[in-house]
Amino acid sequence: MRGEALDTPQTGPAVALSGVNKWFGAHHVLRDVDLTVAKAEKIVICGPSGSGKSTLIRCVNGLEAHQAGTIQVDGIALTGVPASVDAVRREVGMVFQHFNLFAHLTVLENCTLAPIHVKRMGRAAAEELAMGYLDRVRIPQLAGKFPGQLSGGQQQRVAIARALCMSPKVMLFDEPTSALDPEMVKEVLDTMAELARGGMTMLCVTHEMGFAREVADRVVFMDEGQIIETAPPAAFFDSPRHPRTQAFLSQIL
Ligand code: ADP
Ligand code: MG
């Protein structure tokens, strides 16, 4: 059961990482990562493949354990104790590259599963909530379909609605448009931009630099497990300071 103190609105940052280190065996994949994300702030994380972006955001919701340093989400520390992981996961919604929808459940059932089974919400209330979010991502008409009947862009919008149904304080995105056909990228980015305008706290790993420019408050560049540079988008793109950031941007822009 969640304690009273955990329900009290926190005045501190939405997410705080301090001195975070992680190894996979002997492989040191996160090196002294410090990152503080304010409530309603939008962070875009970019960097070369293998630089630790996915590992970083997976650590934020306890999908991966870190070995040193501290991670707090809305004031709740991830200590490695299962209860702390459960408490943090209730605050965090995650959207992956490969939508990870349940193929045997309808869109509506995908969205109501966690509210019913984790939040113990009644079915009718959960369905009303889910329809509200499906409406918000502009696919209420698809509620009765199965994931296999949808386009990739539609499936990803279901994944976003499903995450929102748990009323997360923070949304994590790990390359949500990388697996999509080009013509579907925009509808998902538009959905994310709308969520951002609504005041959601967001950490997005993406190489969509147009999205970063428009939506991010700060862009974080990672390389070899470290945060190399953090800056507001205009400064990040127009005058990157670190040579490695400059090299990365010259390859992708
Ligand atoms: P990115 O998302 O930036 O491409 P990742 O966080 O996926 O990078 O990976 C960072 C490093 O950690 C890579 O060298 C990758 O091979 C390694 N890695 C990621 N996941 C695992 C795992 N489950 N076991 C072992 N090594 C992993
Ligand atoms: Mg990745």
Side-chain angles (χ1 to χ4, degrees):
M1 241 352 238
R2 220 169 140 193
E4 185 101 59
L6 295 181
D7 285 325
T8 309
Q10 300 287 325
T11 51
V15 179
L17 296 94
S18 176
V20 171
N21 281 272
K22 170 158 188 74
W23 289 262
F24 284 114
H27 188 181
H28 197 177
V29 294
L30 294 178
R31 298 166 183 262
D32 298 320
V33 170
D34 296 318
L35 181 65
T36 302
V37 183
K39 294 210 165 80
E41 195 176 20
K42 294 87 179 83
I43 302 282
V44 162
I45 302 171
C46 61
S49 178
S51 57
K53 307 179 298 295
S54 294
T55 304
L56 178 66
I57 65 164
R58 289 168 64 83
C59 281
V60 171
N61 72 348
L63 282 174
E64 298 286 355
H66 59 291
Q67 280 94 40
T70 60
I71 300 178
Q72 288 196 356
V73 178
D74 202 36
I76 306 167
L78 271 169
T79 57
V81 175
S84 81
V85 177
D86 290 347
V88 163
R89 290 223 185 117
R90 274 195 285 270
E91 309 279 319
V92 175
M94 177 133 181
V95 175
F96 302 87
Q97 185 177 347
H98 300 285
F99 335 121
N100 299 6
L101 298 174
F102 296 105
H104 63 293
L105 299 180
T106 65
V107 164
L108 188 63
E109 288 163 348
N110 265 279
C111 292
T112 57
L113 193 67
I116 290 172
H117 295 282
V118 179
K119 286 209 165 169
R120 308 267 167 231
M121 205 180 258
R123 181 169 301 276
E127 288 183 352
E128 193 184 327
L129 177 82
M131 285 311 300
Y133 283 117
L134 288 171
D135 205 40
R136 203 158 138 193
V137 302
R138 304 188 195 288
I139 46 172
Q141 75 283 8
L142 301 179
K145 302 256 190 225
F146 289 91
Q149 300 173 293
L150 308 182
S151 73
Q154 290 168 335
Q155 290 190 57
Q156 195 58 301
R157 286 189 283 158
V158 173
I160 294 171
R162 178 177 65 173
L164 292 173
C165 283
M166 290 298 282
S167 309
K169 300 237 173 72
V170 177
M171 285 284 284
L172 308 176
F173 294 86
D174 192 359
E175 304 207 29
T177 59
S178 303
L180 297 177
D181 291 332
E183 71 271 22
M184 289 161 195
V185 169
K186 185 173 181 299
E187 68 188 57
V188 172
L189 294 178
D190 286 350
T191 303
M192 292 167 65
E194 203 170 305
L195 191 59
R197 282 194 294 277
M200 180 61 75
T201 307
M202 295 166 59
L203 269 82
C204 312
V205 175
T206 181
H207 292 130
E208 293 291 339
M209 294 296 129
F211 174 83
R213 248 188 209 278
E214 257 177 58
V215 173
D217 295 304
R218 287 186 293 155
V219 183
V220 169
F221 174 68
M222 285 186 76
D223 196 15
E224 297 180 357
Q226 284 181 306
I227 293 181
I228 302 292
E229 183 159 352
T230 303
F236 184 85
F237 291 112
D238 301 336
S239 48
R241 279 165 307 168
H242 199 287
R244 279 197 260 174
T245 317
Q246 293 163 3
F248 176 74
L249 289 175
S250 71
Q251 281 163 13
I252 63 162
L253 292 180

